[in-house]
Amino acid sequence: MLLVLLALACTAPSPPAAEPVATPTPAPTPGPRLDPALMDLAARADDVDIVLISMDCLRYDRTGLDPRFPARTPNLRAFAEQSVVFHDAMSASSWTVPSHMAVWTARWPTRHGLVNKLMPDPTGTRLVDATLREDIPTYPQAFAARGWVGAAFTGDAGVSARFGYGRGFSTFLDDRKFGGMDHSGPPARAWLAEHAAKERMLLFFHGYDVHGQAPLPDGVTPTRGGYTGPLDGGIAEQAKYRELALTAIKNPGDAASLGTALTPEDGAFLLGVYDQKVEIADARMGALLADLKASGVWDRSIVALMSDHGEEFLEHGAIDHGYSIYQEQLHVPLMIHFPGQASRVDVAETVRTLDLFPTLADALGVPQIPDVDGRSLLPFLRGETPTPPGPLLAESDYRLYVHLRALRKGDHKLILDLSDGGVQLFDVRKDPGETQDLSTSDPRRAYEMEQELRAELLRWQTDPSRFLGRAEAPIPVY
Amino acid sequence: MARAGLLAVLVLAGCRGTGGTGTPPAPHILLVSLDGVRADRTHLGGNPRPTTPSLDALAADGLVFDEALSTSNESLYSHAAMLTGRYPGEVGSLDYLSMVVPPSAWTLAEALAAAGYDTAAFTSGGHVKASFGFGQGFGTVTEGQDYGSLRDSVAPALAWLDARPDRARPTFLFVQGYDCHQPYLHGSVFHHVFAEGDPGRADTWLARRNFVESIHEGVYYPDYPLAWLNHTVGERILDPSVYRSLPTWAAQAGPGAGLTLTDAETAHVRAHYDAAVLEADTYLGLLLDGLDARGRLEDTLVVITSDHGEDLGTHGAWNHRAGLWESTTRVPLVLAGAIPQALRGTRPNAVAQSIDLVPTLLAAAGTVAPAGAHGRDLLALAAGRGAGPEVVYQHGVLGHLSARTDRWRLTFDAGDLAASDATKRLVHGPLEAPAWALHDRATDPDERRNVLDRHPDEAARLREGMVRWWTALPRGAPAAPPSDADRAMLQRNGYW
C-alpha cells in the first residue's frame, strides 16, 4: 500500500508547493549556534550511536532544504527540523570515490590519494586497482577502535569496501553496483532492529537512488510534462551522454561539453526525472528515519546526513558529474542531528563535508587522527570562532582525464585547471550559476586566489602534476 | 581557459587600480639588471676606480646590500630565478639546452600585471628575451641587439613612460643591458678609460668574441673551438661544455697552442672590464636622470642589481659560468627611491639573494608572491623584521650546486644535474675532490683552496642542508603516457 501511494505521488504531474525550510539568515549570530551541552557528549559517549546517511549524488538545491525550490521531501525536511542544517556545504570532490574518501579520512583527495578507481602504482609507471593506503587511517576505524560496532549498507560502486571504505566495519553491504536505498534499506533496517538495543552502533546507510546510473523503480515512468523530445531518462542514455561530453576534451584546458547534442528542454526533462528520484529517495530514507525514531535511536544518537556530490543538467554544457567542479556538483546537503536536539539550527556559512567526522569525534571525545585536513565544527557551533574551518577547496582528477582544483574564499570561487594552468573566477553569491568569469576583470583577485590555492597544494608536498597526462582516454569509472 | 590567453587579456585590458583603503598607493617599480657586474668591481663594492658614480650616488640615499648573491652564474638561469623567485632547476628544465621560463611559471611581471601594473621590458636580447619565456606579463617587450648595451634601452624606456595612455596606473619597468659581457667594449667610447701602461697583445684579443671564453689558468688558446648549439627555442647558444673541455683540449694541444697573458695584459683586460662597468653605470645614470627629470624618482622603487659576476681570472677562468664563487655570483644590490625614510642611506648587515626580489617587490606592490616562490622581503629584512638565510643555495649552469654561509662555501660539481644518477651522487657519493670543494672564506676570501680534508664535519653538515634543499625542490617532470600494459588493462576493464 505504501509503495502504491509512493508510486502515485512520484508520477503526479505538477509539484504542489511544499513548505520549504525557511531562508537561512546569512548574518552571523553571536554566541552559540546550538546549546553547547547538546554537543558535549564525551562523558556519555558509551550511550551514543552514530548514524551517517549518504544520499549519493544529491544536489542541495533539489532537497527542499533550499527555500528556492519546493521539493516534496517530507523526510529530509523532518530531519532538518531537529538538526543543524548547513545550507552551504561543499564536498571535496565532484564524484563518489574521492569525495566519500575525503569524508572517511578527513583529507583532501590528493592527500588521501584515492582519486580514481585505477591509480598509478608507487613507481608511477602503471595503473593498478586503487585502494586506500594502509598508513592512512579512516575515522570509521577510529570509532571502531573506541568500541563502536560498524555496519555499512551501501550501493557499492564508488563506496565499495575494497577501496578502503570497509575498514572499521564488521558488516559491509556492497553487493549491487549503483544500488539504491530500496536495496540497502531492508538489510540496514533489519540490522538496526537486531542491534539497536545491544550495541553501540556506527551505522552507515547509503544509496544511489538519485544517481544517473540508478533507474527509476519498476512501474514508475518519467514525468514528461510537455516534453516531446527523444530522451527516455534511462541509465544507458545517461552513460552515453556522459561519455559523449568527455569527447569534447581534446586539448589541455578543454571542458566536457555536449555542444548541441542536448537541448535545454532535454536538460529540463532530465532534471525532472532527477526530482522524481529525489522524492523516491526521500521516502526510502524516511523508512530508516522512522525506524530510528521508533526505536529511540534518533533521540540518543548523532545522526548525520550528507551527499558526496551534486549533478549537472546542462548548466555548464554537460550532464552527470565528476568532470567539473562547478557549484551544481559541489553544493551538497549536510545536516547533523545531535542527541536530544529538538529544533533546527540554520548555518549559512560555507562548510566542508570533510569536517564531518572530526566534528563527531570532537563531540564524542574520540581522539582526532593526526595530520588530517578536516577540523571540528564544534568551536564554530559553540560560537568560539567566528567562521567555520578552512580553506575551502575542491578537487577532481576525474578518470585521470581532467585535473581541476578550486578555492572558495568569501563570495568568490576560483577554479584552476592544472592541465593548462587556466583559471576561472566567479562571485558565487551574485552569480551562483557561475556564468560570469571574472578572472580578466578582477585579475588581482584571480592571481592572489590562485597563489593561495597553489600554496595549499604545495604544502601537501604531493606534486599536482603527477596525474597529468596519465590517461590518453578517460579510464573506466567502476 | 589557457593561461597565455588570460594574461594577454589582463595585460592589455585596463586593470583595476591598486592600493585598497588604508594601504599606501603602490609605487612605480624600476628593476635594472646590469648584466655581469661583479660586486667588487663597482666603486661602491670596493673598486678604487670610479666605475660606478651613478650607483654610488643612488646608494648614498638608498639601501645597499653589500652581501648580495645571484642565484646562478649565467644570464638565463639567473634571470629565471630573479624574475620568478624560484631556483632555476624548479622553474624550467635541468637541461640548459631546453631551459626556458615556461608559461606555467608565474613571473614577477605577471604578478604585477595582475595587481594592476603597466609593465614593460627593455632588454639587450641575448638570453633575456621573450623566446626564453621572459616576455611573460610584460605589455611591452623591446629586445635590442643581442648582447647589446643599456644605452639602447634608455631612450625607449623613458619614451614608454611618457607615452602611456593611463597615467594613473603604477608602472613596472624592467631594463637590462649586456655592457659588461665580453667582448669588453671594443670600439666603445669607454674603451680605454681605465687603461694603464702597455696593452701588449690584449687590445687585439679584446676584440675577439671568444677571447675570455678561451682562457684557462692565465693562458689564452686562440684556436680553441667554441661550439654553438641550437636551444630548443631555436636560439643559438654557446655549448656550455666548452668550459669543461678547455683544460683537456689545452693539455692535448700542447704548450705551443697557448698564449700566456703577461701581468700587464691581464691588468689591461681587467681595466677594460672596469670600463665596461663604467659604461653600464653611465647609461644607468641617464635612465635615473630621466626619471628624476620627470619627477618620478621618489615615487619609484628603484632596484639596481646584476645577474652574475665574472671570474676575471680569480680561478683561472675568465668567464662567469665555470663555477659558483663570490667572483661569479656576488653582485651589487641597491634599492632606492620609494623606500621607507628610515632605510635611506643604510647598509644592513644582511645577506640578500636574487630570489628575494620577487617577494620584496610584490610586497611593495601590495600583493602576494607566487606560490612556491622563495626569498624574503628585503625591505622588511632591512627594517629588522625577519632574518636572512643562514645558508644561501645556488645552482650553476654547468651543474654546480653551492651552499654558502657567512664563512663557508661548499660546492658540488654534478657535471650534469639532469643525469639520472646526479641526485644519487649528491646524496651518497663520496664527499671528496674533485666533485666536492669546501672553501673557508674567512681565511681564503678568493676561494682558491679546497679545505675539505681539514673540515669534513663542516662539509658534511653543509651537504646535508644542500641535499634537503635540492631534493625538496618541486620539479614537475611530465608524466609518461600509459604503457602498453596499461592500455591492455584499460581495455580489460572496459566500459561497463
Side-chain angles (χ1 to χ4, degrees), chain A residues 42-63:
Chain A
R44 53 188 182 96
D46 285 350
D47 302 323
V48 180
D49 296 318
I50 304 167
V51 180
L52 173 58
I53 301 170
S54 175
M55 302 176 72
D56 206 288
C57 195
L58 183 59
R59 283 168 67 138
Y60 164 83
D61 66 352
R62 312 308 287 185
T63 56

Side-chain angles (χ1 to χ4, degrees), chain B residues 127-163:
Chain B
H127 277 128
V128 193
K129 298 205 283 202
S131 55
F132 290 103
F134 289 113
Q136 297 177 54
F138 287 109
T140 296
V141 178
T142 302
E143 297 161 356
Q145 185 192 347
D146 273 348
Y147 301 102
S149 166
L150 194 63
R151 176 189 61 223
D152 299 330
S153 294
V154 173
L158 293 171
W160 175 82
L161 283 175
D162 292 339

Side-chain angles (χ1 to χ4, degrees), chain A residues 173-214:
Chain A
L173 175 82
D174 58 353
D175 64 344
R176 179 180 291 181
K177 192 176 282 181
F178 294 113
M181 287 178 171
D182 57 330
H183 180 73
S184 58
R189 294 167 66 192
W191 189 88
L192 182 69
E194 190 183 330
H195 291 81
K198 295 184 203 158
E199 294 168 322
R200 194 167 51 150
M201 304 179 294
L202 167 60
L203 174 64
F204 175 50
F205 181 49
H206 167 270
Y208 285 101
D209 310 71
V210 308
H211 194 282
Q213 286 305 302

Side-chain angles (χ1 to χ4, degrees), chain A residues 184-265:
Chain A
S184 58
R189 294 167 66 192
W191 189 88
L192 182 69
E194 190 183 330
H195 291 81
K198 295 184 203 158
E199 294 168 322
R200 194 167 51 150
M201 304 179 294
L202 167 60
L203 174 64
F204 175 50
F205 181 49
H206 167 270
Y208 285 101
D209 310 71
V210 308
H211 194 282
Q213 286 305 302
L216 283 167
D218 288 345
V220 179
T221 53
T223 306
R224 298 190 78 86
Y227 177 68
T228 54
L231 300 191
D232 62 19
I235 63 173
E237 172 185 276
Q238 199 265 355
K240 175 184 135 189
Y241 285 107
R242 180 193 69 215
E243 298 302 317
L244 180 63
L246 295 178
T247 63
I249 302 175
K250 294 184 169 66
N251 295 299
D254 286 349
S257 174
L258 287 166
T260 56
L262 292 182
T263 65
E265 291 72 31

Side-chain angles (χ1 to χ4, degrees), chain B residues 16 25 32 35 89 148 257 275 283 335 341 395 465 479:
Chain B
R16 74 195 183 99
V32 181
D35 208 291
Y283 298 124
L335 283 72
Q341 191 66 38
H395 174 187

